[in-house]
Amino acid sequence: MVDHISQSPKPKISSSSSSTFLTTFSSFSITNFINKYLLVIILLPLSFFLLTFFLQWRPSGSSDLLRGLSLDHPILCTSKAQAKVNSSLSNIKYSNSFVFSQLRGWEFDKNDSVVRPKICITSTTSAGLEDILPWIFYHRVVGISNFFLFVEGKAATPSVSEVLESIPGVKTIPRTREFEEQQARSRIWNETWLSNAFHRPCNAALFVKQTLNMETAIVMAREAGMEWILHLDTDELLHPAGTREYSVRELFNKVPSDVDLVVFLNYEAAVERDNIREPFSEVSLFKRNLADLPIHNYTNFKFIRKTFHGNPNFFLTYANGKSAARIQDHLRPNGAHRWYNYKKVPKEIHINEAVVLHYTYTRYSDLTSRRDRCKCKPTIEDVKRCFYLNFDRNAFIIASTAPQEKMLKWYQDHVVWGDEAMKLKLLNYGIMTRIYTPMVIIQELRKSEYFTSLVASIHSGSSNGPKVSNMENNMLTEKNVDSQARPPLSSLSINNVSTSGN
């Protein structure tokens, strides 16, 4: 017997039904596509808005003044960020006794003795208060506790020295005859490694002076209980990028205990006008160091060559950075940019994000001021004897021989960056960068009128703040080493040398 399986007949779809179904399906698909498209159009800008809000939002009550590089990004340097800095810096209080309130967790004077690590800066300068005060207080904000200033020229005048010596943590060392006699018995002055700079004026003379002063500063730093020492000129700012609190102390707290030296690259200021008056407050554009450029840009030398701006080198002046040294036995300078040790090869590390910002030739008047301080002949042969760097040589010759109009035109062509398209291209390629944080800090310090109040209170005789006496001569007097004849130290007056980077 065969079982029959009954099957339901397959439905038959008429042509008219098929047409209706396709029309309905097509309409549904189009409507669905339009709805999804509209949804994307609505959600996309909303997503960007939420992302922007998330990136810029900070919880209320946050104590951060500057978080990493937030202010150093051209897009994020907004009025909101400016207002936060304004609010934080407005907490600075000043009086005749120069007692500061807490700024971002640090006390300018009262609590410096308990804050670690203790970091100092030494410098050789002939600048006036208009340059030195912003330089000092910017570095106080970022965590430097002490300054050992070897002063001459304007910086050594009674009115300027009185102001500087009234700032807690600042010591001034004038170049007196007794001080020169002490340095003439120092170890470095009697060693041969420095002798190739003897009997040469201008930059070579400054190099010798800076090295001898750094040797003296090591002794002073040890006596003051310092843990780290840097040598910076008063046209340089240490920029502690990459730290959460924009703090030099935070930076050095992360250095391993067995490290002796920390090396910082330098970035060079790129001025955009020929009428800069206050470089720290007006300059935000910098050339990055070649060693810091992305490898694909560095290898594209043809493009890098265009950024020389008609000059002999990528940077106008020096490009080998600066270093900080841990205070320890047998420490010595190794020129103005490095430190070394008599007994061992120091262990050093390179910091990737934090850099030294060098504001070189940022004022048009720098051409004539350098010319007036250096008594050399404006010839190709003589400038080689006076200056180490080709740009310094060219600038000196132009300033010494060209009329005012030609000198200004040369400055505009070789120093000023006025080509907006080129600047944008260099920024996009990462060869140049915008750095706003130092500018914002110093602008706010200026707005607070702290500098003018400080000077006014000193000159009016109303200050009863702590005075810092001149250095009690304490020099290294280790055994002499025979070398070639040395010029008298009195011939190394800073007023007769160029203070451009060496």
Side-chain angles (χ1 to χ4, degrees):
M1 181 177 179
V2 179
D3 292 332
H4 297 280
I5 300 175
S6 61
Q7 296 180 351
S8 299
K10 294 181 180 180
K12 296 181 180 180
I13 301 175
S14 64
S15 60
S16 61
S17 298
S18 177
S19 176
T20 303
F21 173 79
L22 291 174
T23 303
T24 303
F25 179 80
S26 177
S27 300
F28 175 80
S29 299
I30 294 173
T31 302
N32 189 40
F33 175 79
I34 293 174
N35 289 339
K36 289 183 178 179
Y37 183 75
L38 291 174
L39 186 62
V40 170
I41 292 177
I42 294 171
L43 290 180
L44 190 59
L46 181 60
S47 299
F48 278 114
F49 172 79
L50 292 174
L51 178 62
T52 304
F53 177 81
F54 175 79
L55 290 175
Q56 294 193 4
W57 177 81
R58 293 180 184 177
S60 60
S62 172
S63 63
D64 295 345
L65 169 63
L66 306 166
R67 186 179 295 275
L69 292 176
S70 59
L71 293 181
D72 293 339
H73 195 290
I75 297 176
L76 296 184
C77 188
T78 61
S79 58
K80 183 177 180 180
Q82 175 81 30
K84 189 168 185 65
V85 177
N86 292 352
S87 175
S88 299
L89 287 175
S90 67
N91 292 328
I92 298 178
K93 297 177 182 179
Y94 51 90
S95 65
N96 290 336
S97 60
F98 310 114
V99 178
F100 291 79
S101 65
Q102 184 171 332
L103 178 65
R104 291 197 295 102
W106 298 313
E107 296 280 347
F108 270 120
D109 51 4
K110 292 186 297 183
N111 292 336
D112 267 355
S113 60
V114 298
V115 178
R116 290 292 185 269
K118 297 193 72 175
I119 308 160
C120 67
I121 289 178
T122 180
S123 186
T124 300
T125 182
S126 62
L129 286 178
E130 67 279 3
D131 294 322
I132 299 177
L133 289 182
W135 179 82
I136 288 177
F137 284 101
Y138 165 82
H139 285 111
R140 292 305 302 265
V141 167
V142 301
I144 301 297
S145 57
N146 289 65
F147 301 81
F148 303 109
L149 304 181
F150 296 83
V151 295
E152 297 185 22
K154 289 182 181 179
T157 58
S159 58
V160 173
S161 294
E162 188 178 7
V163 174
L164 296 176
E165 291 171 0
S166 298
I167 303 172
V170 176
K171 289 188 177 182
T172 62
I173 306 93
R175 179 156 293 278
T176 63
R177 180 181 298 275
E178 182 181 5
F179 180 64
E180 289 179 348
E181 292 174 354
Q182 292 284 350
Q183 282 197 329
R185 296 195 298 270
S186 71
R187 178 168 181 171
I188 285 182
W189 183 248
N190 291 282
E191 291 180 338
T192 58
W193 68 271
L194 193 61
S195 61
N196 63 347
F198 293 162
H199 306 290
R200 294 176 61 187
C202 302
N203 275 18
L206 177 61
F207 175 80
V208 174
K209 181 186 296 291
Q210 288 174 327
T211 304
L212 292 170
N213 291 344
M214 290 165 69
E215 182 185 39
T216 303
I218 293 172
V219 177
M220 300 174 66
R222 295 195 70 157
E223 292 180 345
M226 297 292 106
E227 297 167 67
W228 289 91
I229 185 170
L230 300 93
H231 173 257
L232 293 180
D233 297 325
T234 50
D235 64 349
E236 298 172 326
L237 299 179
L238 183 58
H239 173 54
T243 58
R244 186 174 182 271
E245 292 282 344
Y246 197 69
S247 163
V248 175
R249 287 170 178 158
E250 179 185 340
L251 186 72
F252 281 94
N253 269 326
K254 297 178 181 178
V255 176
S257 59
D258 63 335
V259 170
D260 304 304
L261 303 177
V262 176
V263 179
F264 302 96
L265 292 176
N266 64 294
Y267 286 7
E268 189 174 80
V271 298
E272 300 173 79
R273 309 190 315 272
D274 59 20
N275 59 348
I276 299 292
R277 297 182 60 189
E278 299 172 352
F280 296 156
S281 301
E282 300 179 51
V283 177
S284 65
L285 184 64
F286 294 86
K287 267 190 179 183
R288 295 171 64 185
N289 197 292
L290 279 175
D292 195 38
L293 294 184
I295 188 64
H296 64 277
N297 288 339
Y298 185 77
T299 54
N300 188 0
F301 186 76
K302 290 183 179 180
F303 184 75
I304 295 291
R305 191 67 180 84
K306 295 179 180 179
T307 67
F308 282 33
H309 211 32
N311 298 309
N313 301 301
F314 179 73
F315 274 178
L316 302 183
T317 53
Y318 79 90
N320 60 338
K322 289 289 182 77
S323 68
R326 192 187 296 274
I327 302 295
Q328 56 187 293
D329 292 340
H330 312 297
L331 179 66
R332 72 162 174 86
N334 192 26
H337 295 249
R338 292 291 188 273
W339 307 83
Y340 204 69
N341 194 292
Y342 282 111
K343 297 296 184 180
K344 66 176 182 178
V345 177
K347 180 178 180 179
E348 68 176 37
I349 61 173
H350 291 248
I351 300 295
N352 293 328
E353 294 182 87
V355 295
V356 171
L357 304 178
H358 188 200
Y359 296 76
T360 186
Y361 286 97
T362 46
R363 296 185 180 103
Y364 169 60
S365 59
D366 288 344
L367 290 179
T368 54
S369 62
R370 284 175 167 85
R371 174 200 66 194
D372 296 341
R373 285 196 299 265
C374 190
K375 307 303 181 183
C376 292
K377 297 177 182 179
T379 63
I380 295 177
E381 294 75 19
D382 206 44
V383 294
K384 289 181 180 179
R385 183 176 61 92
C386 297
F387 299 99
Y388 290 123
L389 302 173
N390 288 327
F391 183 85
D392 286 332
R393 297 169 181 172
N394 295 342
F396 181 82
I397 291 176
I398 287 293
S400 302
T401 60
Q404 188 72 19
E405 298 78 10
K406 186 176 180 180
M407 186 167 59
L408 177 59
K409 181 64 167 57
W410 186 90
Y411 184 80
Q412 293 169 339
D413 291 342
H414 292 264
V415 180
V416 178
W417 288 85
D419 188 334
E420 297 297 330
M422 176 58 73
K423 285 188 293 185
L424 183 59
K425 182 181 293 185
L426 295 176
L427 286 166
N428 288 338
Y429 273 84
I431 296 172
M432 281 186 171
T433 185
R434 291 281 182 185
I435 298 178
Y436 294 97
T437 311
M439 171 190 287
V440 171
I441 291 174
I442 292 175
Q443 283 177 348
E444 294 310 312
L445 286 169
R446 289 189 185 278
K447 287 180 183 177
S448 72
E449 297 184 351
Y450 178 75
F451 302 142
T452 54
S453 299
L454 175 63
V455 175
S457 63
I458 288 292
H459 289 174
S460 66
S462 62
S463 170
N464 54 10
K467 296 290 183 180
V468 181
S469 61
N470 291 334
M471 184 192 83
E472 296 179 4
N473 291 317
N474 187 353
M475 298 296 303
L476 298 175
T477 56
E478 301 187 42
K479 65 177 183 178
N480 294 343
V481 179
D482 292 336
S483 64
Q484 59 182 283
R486 295 160 184 80
L489 274 168
S490 58
S491 67
L492 298 177
S493 172
I494 197 170
N495 296 318
N496 296 324
V497 299
S498 169
T499 57
S500 61
N502 42 52

